[in-house]
Amino acid sequence: MKQRLSLDALQPDMILAEDLCREDGILLLPRGTVLSSRHVALLPSWQVLDAVAWVALPGRDGPDQGPEGQQQPPEDAPLDLTAAAKALAPRFALTDREDIGQAALFSVALPRAANLLLRRGPHCLDLPGPVALDTLPPVPDTPAPGPMAIIESDPKLTSLPDVFVRISEVLHDPNSTAKEAAGAIGKDVSLSAKLLQLVNSAFYGFPVKVDTLSRAVTIVGSRQLTTLALGISVIGIFKDLPEGLVEMRAFWKHSIGCGIIASNLVPATADSGENLEVERLFVAGLLHDVGRLVLYRNLPRHCAHVLAKARNEGIPLREAERAVLGFDHATLGGMLLRRWRFPDNLERAVRHHHGGPTPMGQLMPAMIHAADAAANALLLGSSGEVYVPALSPPAWTTLGLTPERLEKAVAAADVQAAEIIRVFLPDDA
């Protein structure tokens, strides 16, 4: 049953029966969120006094009915971490779980996996099965075009929307004013609304509501807000992809999760001497797999064989891309961002997020690499990859990470993720 509970009565693993909002109406956690210990610890700082949660009735054998009529587990239902470890292991098959970073990722992923098993059933984490090759469309006889040829042949990538062009001009003009930035962004009503929702979300945690773009530019910064706007405006370019290759909501959920985790890795590198803006990290995470969208739209038959090869042979998707196409999505994504005149360090982060020893010695590529691995480990959506990427030891060293710092960054991101996903994907529960 639903009950309104005081702050002291809220406990980890309770499930919110209603959206949890601040007094000014700003959404903090959406309906259906399973409260973690991190949530409960943060509620006092959010000035939350009570919440409506699903509570099991004493003496009732079965669980209560939760959101959307689905059965929800009782509040004291134990998490089976042993079952979760067994279910997660196949997804970590390509990693060395003896490595300190990989072991930390597995440990962080366990509670979420256990929650998913509890709420969605014992097979929700199963890997997809092999693909019968005779069900696939034939690959064209001619070799796949190169990355730049693909970009230049797609008019939606070369003839960009007016709002994208205006925002880009403001971002690259060192003399542009806050008024000009707000004016360029304000031409797109939907983009403006998303930006204001993001500025008022837990991503920033401002104590007062920011209700105008001009105020947002003043508080966040002109360059920072235009960088966010530029990244968000890309989402609208990819709305006509062939069916059957990727589920778009899952794709953007993974991308948003990667961006949020990357932006929360900043405290662990704050003493590095490099000025890392959370906005730029968020956009790098948001767009780290954009090359995959370009491939899905322009080479759908090739991509069907790429996906099949990865699943049938048990290899990372990027390796299957290189085998079938001769290059991978990261290279294509980096070239696209360069074509679009994105900032150089953002372009490098996207191009090298699967990187080698040299890129993993650079902060932004290492941060997006680690965030991508974490988003995959936490099962935050998917861009088509079913395995958790191996976490590079040089990246772990470059970021100065420890298991405790990683857990803290992921916990902070978890608080923000559900809300921000709702901003971008409003129908996502």
Side-chain angles (χ1 to χ4, degrees):
M1 63 174 291
K2 289 195 297 185
Q3 276 192 15
R4 183 169 292 279
L5 302 173
S6 67
L7 190 62
D8 292 339
L10 292 173
Q11 298 177 16
D13 298 326
M14 284 187 174
I15 302 168
L16 292 180
E18 296 180 3
D19 289 345
L20 185 64
C21 300
R22 294 193 319 215
E23 290 185 0
D24 57 6
I26 297 301
L27 180 68
L28 295 173
L29 295 171
R31 177 176 180 260
T33 297
V34 179
L35 292 177
S36 67
S37 57
R38 177 69 175 172
H39 290 141
V40 174
L42 285 172
L43 292 179
S45 66
W46 289 350
Q47 300 180 338
V48 172
L49 300 178
D50 56 26
V52 178
W54 296 101
V55 179
L57 288 172
R60 177 174 288 186
D61 293 332
D64 291 322
Q65 293 293 317
E68 313 302 330
Q70 297 174 351
Q71 286 200 333
Q72 297 293 337
E75 62 177 270
D76 58 350
L79 294 179
D80 190 340
L81 296 182
T82 301
K86 183 177 180 180
L88 267 184
R91 294 182 177 270
F92 280 78
L94 305 182
T95 69
D96 176 10
R97 282 169 50 195
E98 297 299 317
D99 174 76
I100 184 173
Q102 212 69 64
L105 266 187
F106 191 84
S107 176
V108 166
L110 269 180
R112 181 184 290 274
N115 262 315
L116 288 173
L117 290 176
L118 186 64
R119 295 164 61 198
R120 299 183 186 176
H123 299 294
C124 67
L125 301 183
D126 291 352
L127 292 175
V131 178
L133 297 182
D134 58 5
T135 65
L136 301 178
V139 176
D141 295 332
T142 56
M148 190 51 68
I150 295 173
I151 294 170
E152 295 296 342
S153 67
D154 187 339
K156 289 195 174 181
L157 303 181
T158 54
S159 301
L160 296 169
D162 290 343
V163 64
F164 185 100
V165 175
R166 286 194 298 268
I167 295 170
S168 182
E169 289 174 348
V170 170
L171 181 62
H172 287 92
D173 182 359
N175 298 316
S176 62
T177 64
K179 183 178 180 180
E180 289 171 335
I185 298 168
K187 298 292 184 183
D188 188 312
V189 176
S190 175
L191 175 62
S192 302
K194 283 185 171 63
L195 273 174
L196 283 177
Q197 285 179 284
L198 187 58
V199 169
N200 284 297
S201 74
F203 184 72
Y204 285 104
F206 293 134
V208 296
K209 185 174 182 179
V210 180
D211 53 8
T212 66
L213 274 179
S214 57
R215 179 67 175 156
V217 172
T218 300
I219 294 176
V220 176
S222 176
R223 184 181 67 254
Q224 290 84 350
L225 203 69
T226 48
T227 298
L228 276 178
L230 203 59
I232 295 169
S233 66
V234 170
I235 295 176
I237 297 175
F238 297 97
K239 290 185 176 179
D240 56 350
L241 270 66
E243 295 183 0
L245 293 174
V246 66
E247 204 282 303
M248 290 303 297
R249 298 183 70 77
F251 180 93
W252 288 120
K253 194 170 186 176
H254 167 74
S255 301
I256 292 166
C258 179
I260 296 168
I261 293 170
S263 66
N264 277 283
L265 287 173
V266 170
T269 58
D271 57 356
S272 65
E274 183 172 337
N275 182 24
L276 294 169
E277 298 172 353
V278 294
E279 296 82 7
R280 194 160 293 194
L281 287 166
F282 177 76
V283 171
L286 184 68
L287 301 182
H288 76 287
D289 279 340
V290 70
R292 217 159 249 164
L293 293 182
V294 177
L295 290 174
Y296 290 147
R297 182 161 71 195
N298 289 276
L299 300 177
R301 287 190 287 173
H302 290 83
C303 287
H305 285 266
V306 167
L307 290 165
K309 185 177 182 67
R311 292 179 188 178
N312 292 350
E313 298 181 15
I315 61 175
L317 195 51
R318 65 184 183 279
E319 288 187 17
E321 290 167 351
R322 293 170 187 154
V324 174
L325 305 173
F327 59 90
D328 65 18
H329 67 283
T331 298
L332 176 58
M335 294 175 73
L336 178 63
L337 296 195
R338 175 166 290 186
R339 175 70 165 73
W340 284 346
R341 299 180 62 222
F342 270 74
D344 289 344
N345 61 351
L346 201 156
E347 176 262 317
R348 287 195 302 273
V350 169
R351 184 189 293 261
H352 299 300
H353 73 273
H354 289 302
T358 300
M360 292 301 95
Q362 301 168 12
L363 279 177
M364 276 194 65
M367 293 172 85
I368 302 306
H369 167 82
D372 177 45
N376 276 283
L378 295 171
L379 306 170
L380 289 174
S382 172
S383 66
E385 179 64 82
V386 298
Y387 296 107
V388 176
L391 183 58
S392 164
W396 182 267
T397 301
T398 296
L399 301 180
L401 285 173
T402 63
E404 294 75 22
R405 284 179 131 176
L406 178 66
E407 183 177 4
K408 183 177 180 180
V410 170
D414 190 39
V415 172
Q416 302 166 359
E419 177 184 359
I420 297 174
I421 287 169
R422 285 278 287 263
V423 169
F424 289 88
L425 309 172
D427 297 329
D428 195 68

